[in-house]
Amino acid sequence: MKLLRNLLVGVSLCSFHLQAEAQHGIAMHGDMKYGKEFKHFDVVNPTAPQGGEYRMGLVGTFDSVNPFITKGKAAAGVRELTIDGLLKRSPDEPFSLYGLIAESVDVALDRSWVIYTLNPKAKWHDGKPITVNDVKFSLEIQRDRGNPSRKLFFVKVDTVEILNDKQIKFTFKKIDGQYDAEMPLIIGLMAILPEHYFKTVDFEKTGLTPILGSGPYKISEIDPGRKIVYQKVDNYWAKDLPVNKGIYNFDQVRFEYFGNTTVAFEAFKSGEIDLWEETDPSAWIKEYDFHAIQDGRVSKVEIPHRHQVGMNAFAFNIRNPLFVDEKVRRALAYVFDFEWLNKNIYYGTLTRTLSFFDNTELASKGLPQGEELALLEKYKEKLPNAVFTEEYKLPTTDGSGNIREHLRQAKRLLAEAGWVTKDGKLLNEKTGKPFEFEILLNSPANEKVALAFSRNLGLLGVKANVRTVDSAQYENRRVNKDYDMIISFWGHTLSPGSEQKYYWSSLAADAPGTRNYPGIKSPAIDALCDDVTAARSRKDLITAIRALDRSLLAHHLIIPIGHRSKDYIAYWNKLEHPTFGPDGIPNFTMWWMKTKENEGSQTK
């Protein structure tokens, strides 16, 4: 394995075993794109004008500005804008990190430990320096009192040693005989919190009191549940670092919260918010003819893409006895008529999603072969036989709405699972109880999909009640896994890793706040998540992810919906942006405000 390349110039600590030379960043696999003398990321405008206010609209509410605990719903932007980490992620690589609070880093070749050397210029907003004690404190407070999902990662830290006033060493535990290769990067991304601040503030009861940060912005205004405003820090210590050039160009960033999508979109049309990414293709076709588009004040852009699309799907909660039997889950999938929905609601703009990693090289296809098959064979006795014998496919229709054949297939599977139809109702043949459940939603935008599905379920004698609740109630029920079925989205990067345990492990099945929404507990899935984190090359990662993907799909935990092959974005022309390309819409922190001097300079 090649020496890992890390943060700026550093001194090699020869007393440590299996170490790499201190450098300016870490790549999860292979080499980093940017050398130690890089000036800025390629995808930004390093000379972007500074100033102005960016206003974003969100649907929902918030009652907290502490994103590190489960209590409350945290406001958008707190972690990203006000609190720095040791390292910062590159926007145009699968998973590479570069120096921020840490100016250099040493990593053991076997990933058993990592040493961070802090930048002597790093400081908190109150002017005090960021210390190695702050870094140690950050790990301990988030591991012991933070969101349970963080514990899945931070418990892998065996020891934390303060080597001197600028260097701190994390040594990791072996899990099943090996080190998690991602842990040096996970720690690098960890939010660094001020120890001195929390000596007088209860970490778990911060509520709407802003946490002392070190990032490019401070919270300047809070209207609970409705608005949060961030003001750029004039003397931000890291503004001239290569990782920040061309980023954080606005003087103010404002997040406005709205009760529903309709109200938020009206706010965009009237100019109260600056940018709108449309997720509903039918709305894109029907609702973008307002005056500001007609007279050129708002740009409407379609961007064909090749980036990851994630998985948007109905998720069964298999903690509910109704959904324990896989045959039941497969039966209900037969009456979800994607083709009709796509034709009549989405104007044929969606593509059916067939993988948790669709539209990327990570997606499983066909039957397993080669190294993927060899990996899956290790867990053959604990996986569904379909993993090895059946290509994952979904029932399809001609889009006419005629699903008679699908109803027959569904009723056959339900009968095999012990369900019978009497007087138009589906009943359990042993208990006589009807098949009834709730589809819980947090957005009216999903109602048309859920209601169409519910109508078809009614043809089976199943009563599916569609219920839309406010964001606070939905979040509480989601965190505590208190639902029968939800529409959920699982996103991912191009370098999946330890977060897959947070999504799919047995440990995550019962932990509050995790994303194992279906509640699957499978030793084979657990092992495959370990294989993902153990991958030492890009090739091994792709093999492990495809095997995990295939195994999850074979359990029929979800009913996939679909994804867009284009990104849809509209924005007021006072904004300018980096080049739009097929890899995704640039993050708003890379945009800037148009001025008379640079008017017309943006690249579209």
Side-chain angles (χ1 to χ4, degrees), residues 4 13 84 180 218 335 342 348 410 426 456 478:
L4 299 174
L13 303 174
D84 281 337
D180 184 340
K218 291 181 181 180
V335 299
N342 195 27
L426 191 66
N456 283 357
R478 183 194 65 80

Side-chain angles (χ1 to χ4, degrees), residues 82 104 221 283 298 411 455 464 479:
T82 71
S104 66
E221 182 182 353
V298 169
K411 288 179 179 179
R455 287 193 294 271
V479 165

Side-chain angles (χ1 to χ4, degrees), residues 32 139 156 175 192 211 224 325 553:
M32 294 180 294
L139 181 282
K156 296 178 183 179
I175 307 295
I192 304 304
I211 296 173
D325 194 323
L553 294 170

Side-chain angles (χ1 to χ4, degrees), residues 91-381:
D92 56 351
E93 297 174 79
F95 196 6
S96 292
L97 309 180
Y98 296 84
L100 188 52
I101 289 176
E103 70 173 2
S104 66
V105 57
D106 299 77
V107 185
L109 297 183
D110 62 356
R111 303 277 177 122
S112 60
W113 55 259
V114 60
I115 296 171
Y116 296 99
T117 300
L118 302 195
N119 189 321
K121 297 180 180 179
K123 64 180 181 180
W124 300 106
H125 290 157
D126 63 3
K128 293 184 178 181
I130 299 175
T131 69
V132 288
N133 288 312
D134 291 321
V135 178
K136 184 175 186 288
F137 167 80
S138 299
L139 181 282
E140 293 171 346
I141 195 73
Q142 293 179 75
R143 179 195 62 200
D144 300 338
R145 299 175 62 190
N147 191 306
S149 64
R150 297 288 92 191
K151 294 182 181 180
L152 297 177
F153 305 132
F154 295 154
V155 294
K156 296 178 183 179
V157 176
D158 189 21
T159 61
V160 182
E161 301 172 68
I162 294 177
L163 304 180
N164 53 55
D165 63 352
K166 289 300 176 187
Q167 293 182 313
I168 185 168
K169 179 183 179 183
F170 294 85
T171 301
F172 305 113
K173 299 175 183 177
K174 273 190 175 180
I175 307 295
D176 297 327
Q178 59 190 1
Y179 296 107
D180 184 340
E182 197 175 29
M183 282 307 297
L185 290 89
I186 295 296
I187 297 300
L189 289 173
M190 177 179 68
I192 304 304
L193 302 173
E195 182 181 31
H196 68 280
Y197 173 80
F198 284 106
K199 287 182 178 179
T200 58
V201 175
D202 189 334
F203 177 71
E204 297 178 71
K205 296 182 180 179
T206 50
L208 290 168
T209 302
I211 296 173
L212 176 67
S214 61
Y217 292 87
K218 291 181 181 180
I219 296 174
S220 61
E221 182 182 353
I222 299 174
D223 185 352
R226 299 180 62 186
K227 177 177 64 178
I228 184 166
V229 182
Y230 300 89
Q231 181 69 42
K232 186 187 285 188
V233 176
D234 291 334
N235 59 343
Y236 173 44
W237 71 271
K239 66 179 180 179
D240 294 323
L241 290 183
V243 293
N244 286 331
K245 281 290 187 182
I247 305 176
Y248 311 125
N249 303 311
F250 299 107
D251 283 345
Q252 283 192 332
V253 175
R254 178 187 302 263
F255 293 99
E256 300 273 1
Y257 283 79
F258 299 90
N260 57 61
T261 303
T262 301
V263 176
F265 183 60
E266 289 300 317
F268 168 69
K269 289 165 61 177
S270 66
E272 295 177 39
I273 56 180
D274 297 323
L275 181 148
W276 189 262
E277 183 179 358
E278 185 57 69
T279 59
D280 183 348
S282 62
W284 185 254
I285 292 171
K286 296 187 297 183
E287 298 179 15
Y288 283 77
D289 58 353
F290 50 93
H291 291 307
I293 285 181
Q294 295 171 357
D295 63 22
R297 288 176 294 151
V298 169
S299 292
K300 176 187 177 186
V301 184
E302 296 184 8
I303 312 168
H305 70 71
R306 62 176 180 229
H307 61 71
Q308 62 268 36
V309 294
M311 173 64 78
N312 189 39
F314 289 96
F316 294 100
N317 187 347
I318 63 174
R319 304 170 188 87
N320 184 332
L322 280 179
F323 301 132
V324 169
D325 194 323
E326 179 192 307
K327 290 180 179 179
V328 169
R329 304 195 297 271
R330 289 171 55 201
L332 301 196
Y334 265 103
V335 299
F336 178 67
D337 192 346
F338 168 78
E339 287 73 23
W340 183 89
L341 281 166
N342 195 27
K343 177 181 178 181
N344 291 278
I345 295 179
Y346 293 111
Y347 296 88
T349 59
L350 295 187
T351 299
R352 193 77 189 269
T353 308
L354 297 174
S355 164
F356 283 95
F357 306 92
D358 216 328
N359 210 44
T360 74
E361 64 178 348
L362 304 171
S364 60
K365 295 178 181 178
L367 294 176
Q369 299 179 7
E371 294 180 3
E372 183 188 351
L373 177 59
L375 178 59
L376 289 165
E377 289 280 1
K378 293 167 55 178
Y379 315 117
K380 189 168 186 176
E381 294 183 359

